[in-house]
DNA sequence: TTGCTCCTCACGTCACGTGAGGTGGC
DNA sequence: TTGCTCCTCACGTCACGTGAGGTGGC
């Protein structure tokens, strides 16, 4: 007796996947019918394809991308567990990101911390250890998490860090959704042959809170500079006074945003609240 | 003195929206530049467009669809609050859905409740109040929540309900992602002129747990029927023994799934555990 | 034979991203 | 004048959904 096979319609009834979805899964190789009639093109599914189909439905239901679903189906049990666990971890991160985004939105709506104090500061050339790389906007957090420990370790071997770490973001970085970034850690003393982050005159604002909110400070700062017409196209400098390594609550983070000015622009205000 | 205007690149630096994103928002009318040079096509943004841009970034960050974002920007303060609150509510529902999907996945993986007991039952014609409508799969939960209270109220006026409510899902319903559904509530006594849900022989399985897991029971039932070759293309019947109105934990739900058989098919098993 | 199921294109959706190829402004 | 910024198509991505137009099986 032949093992019974199912048409797409019947298979769809068992699995609650639409026919169009089954066509799609056939096309991309996620659920290939046990049999395809070479003349009519009719798809035939075997009963033992029902179980994988239920799994596919659930994996897609938790947002796993189709290529990963295919990988899960092809994997043995141990690897299957690992792939699924990894995706659930991605889900948790995504959830945390969304929660943070809701907080950001509410912060904006309630108008908390709207006052941004802008000071003018001349920053000298800074001997540093630094790293420059092409980084996409989406990868910047992971890149920083990997890079700064390395830089601090290197600085330690050269006499220790001489101040908070920072980074340089060229003008087009945000416009392009990524690009060349420079991360640096200043050295405690002058060091012959060390890299140097060039000084400049800056309009500086202190950003309190999560990085996702940085655009608020950028906006206030950039709008002020635009209104005065004294900006340049040099990179923006960020200085990380209190970092995710120092506090667990993102609300505790402190970052200085430094917008480059022409040397002939506004005068150094001397009194800089964040640099007493 | 002219109010300073910003090029896309500059505006992008202030708002952290990419140039491509700003082009897109221009095209779809979310953020229209204050000025567009008629000859070069150059976009110019005003400083007071920075604030709406920050809002757009946050609304998109919490997943609000672009048309809704446009509506928020166009709305006055009260309506704006309402639209945002409504979306955050959508987000919460989506979150609950995902959490349930994770549970479903884990249930499948641990293999809990895999044993499905199948019985054969002859169901007689049933006098009912019923509602038939075209419903998409995504809308089915909301439709049921709206329809059953109405049906129970109607049954009450006709002498009360004579058993648990149910529904008929035609064969192609799942294949097509929706279609004509019939929801019914049986009447306590015979009632001249009342609608009748026609009886049939069914293979019946009791589904314990959330509706999102129903495919598991459909699969077991449909596979069994396919293996015996005694199925028909009549609608599947669901019977809601314990409904979301009865319990808060979806794990407590009890639903009978009835797969139609030919009258000459397998015999009524007589002893039906869920119908003592 | 009727009507349902099945088939294959081909295009639409959503919110942008990715080049290609060309021009404007300092 | 060079090089950067800006522009407009046109097409790609992702996971299907939506018809159109036609054929197979009971």
């Amino acid at each position: 007796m032949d093992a019974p096979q199912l048409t797409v319609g019947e298979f769809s009834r068992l699995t609650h996947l639409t026919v169009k979805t089954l066509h799609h899964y056939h096309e991309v190789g996620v659920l290939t019918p046990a049999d395809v009639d070479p003349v009519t093109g009719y798809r035939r599914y075997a009963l033992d394809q029902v179980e994988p189909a239920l799994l596919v439905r659930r994996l897609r239901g938790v947002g796993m991308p189709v290529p990963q679903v295919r990988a899960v189906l092809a994997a043995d049990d141990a690897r299957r567990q690992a792939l699924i666990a990894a995706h659930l971890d991605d889900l948790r991160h995504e959830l945390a990101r969304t929660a943070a985004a809701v907080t950001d939105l509410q912060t904006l709506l309630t108008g908390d911390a709207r006052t941004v104090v802008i000071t003018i500061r001349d920053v000298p050339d800074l001997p540093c250890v630094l790293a420059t790389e092409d980084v996409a906007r989406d990868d910047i957090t992971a890149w920083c998490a990997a890079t700064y420990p390395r830089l601090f370790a290197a600085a330690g071997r050269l006499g220790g860090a001489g101040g908070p770490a920072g980074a340089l973001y060229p003008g087009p970085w945000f416009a392009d959704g990524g690009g060349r970034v420079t991360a640096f850690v200043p050295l405690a003393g002058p060091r012959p042959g060390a890299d140097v982050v060039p000084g400049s005159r800056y309009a500086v604002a202190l950003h309190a809170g999560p990085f996702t909110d940085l655009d608020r400070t950028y906006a206030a700062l950039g709008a002020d500079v635009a209104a005065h017409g004294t900006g340049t196209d040099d990179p923006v400098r960020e200085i990380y006074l209190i970092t995710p390594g120092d506090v667990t609550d993102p609300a505790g983070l402190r970052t200085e945003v430094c917008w480059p000015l022409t040397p002939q622009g506004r005068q150094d205000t001397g009194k800089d609240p964040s640099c007493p």
Side-chain angles (χ1 to χ4, degrees), chain A residues 26-82:
Chain A
H26 180 192
E27 195 180 324
V28 300
V30 167
L31 287 172
T32 306
D35 220 36
V36 179
D37 189 310
V39 45
T40 68
Y42 273 39
R43 295 165 177 84
R44 294 285 168 175
Y45 293 85
L47 280 178
D48 61 11
Q49 298 194 277
V50 170
E51 232 191 86
L54 296 187
L55 180 58
V56 168
R57 218 171 87 85
R58 275 160 184 73
L59 294 176
R60 290 290 309 128
V62 298
M64 183 182 280
V66 165
Q68 283 191 51
V69 171
R70 197 177 354 182
V72 168
L73 291 187
D76 59 56
D77 242 41
R79 178 148 178 69
R80 185 174 281 204
Q81 298 294 332

Side-chain angles (χ1 to χ4, degrees), chain A residues 248-273:
Chain A
T248 51
D249 184 0
L253 297 174
R254 295 293 180 273
T255 308
E256 278 182 338
V257 180
C258 311
W259 200 281
L261 301 179
T262 58
Q264 308 79 16
R266 287 176 281 166
Q267 293 303 306
D268 190 327
T269 41
K271 274 188 161 6
D272 184 332

Side-chain angles (χ1 to χ4, degrees), chain A residues 114-244:
Chain A
R114 276 271 183 83
T115 43
V116 174
V117 178
I118 297 170
T119 56
I120 309 299
R121 188 194 305 167
D122 287 311
V123 175
D125 289 354
L126 230 49
C128 286
V129 285
L130 53 79
T132 298
E133 207 169 328
D134 252 352
V135 184
R137 177 108 66 104
D138 293 342
D139 303 333
I140 190 67
T141 306
W143 186 76
C144 287
T147 301
Y148 283 107
R150 201 160 53 74
L151 293 183
F152 272 107
R157 287 191 297 274
L158 295 173
L168 300 177
Y169 291 92
W173 198 82
F174 296 102
D176 297 346
R180 203 150 278 271
V181 188
T182 298
F184 63 84
V185 172
L187 291 171
R191 200 77 193 185
D195 285 316
V196 170
V197 169
S200 166
R201 172 162 293 180
Y202 287 107
V204 181
L206 179 67
H207 177 79
F211 295 133
T212 43
D213 247 12
L214 267 174
D215 57 349
R216 255 179 39 224
T217 299
Y218 270 75
L221 202 49
D224 182 75
V225 171
H228 285 80
T230 52
T232 82
D233 284 343
D234 289 336
V236 168
R237 178 189 301 225
E238 295 185 358
I239 301 176
Y240 307 111
L241 301 179
I242 301 181
T243 75

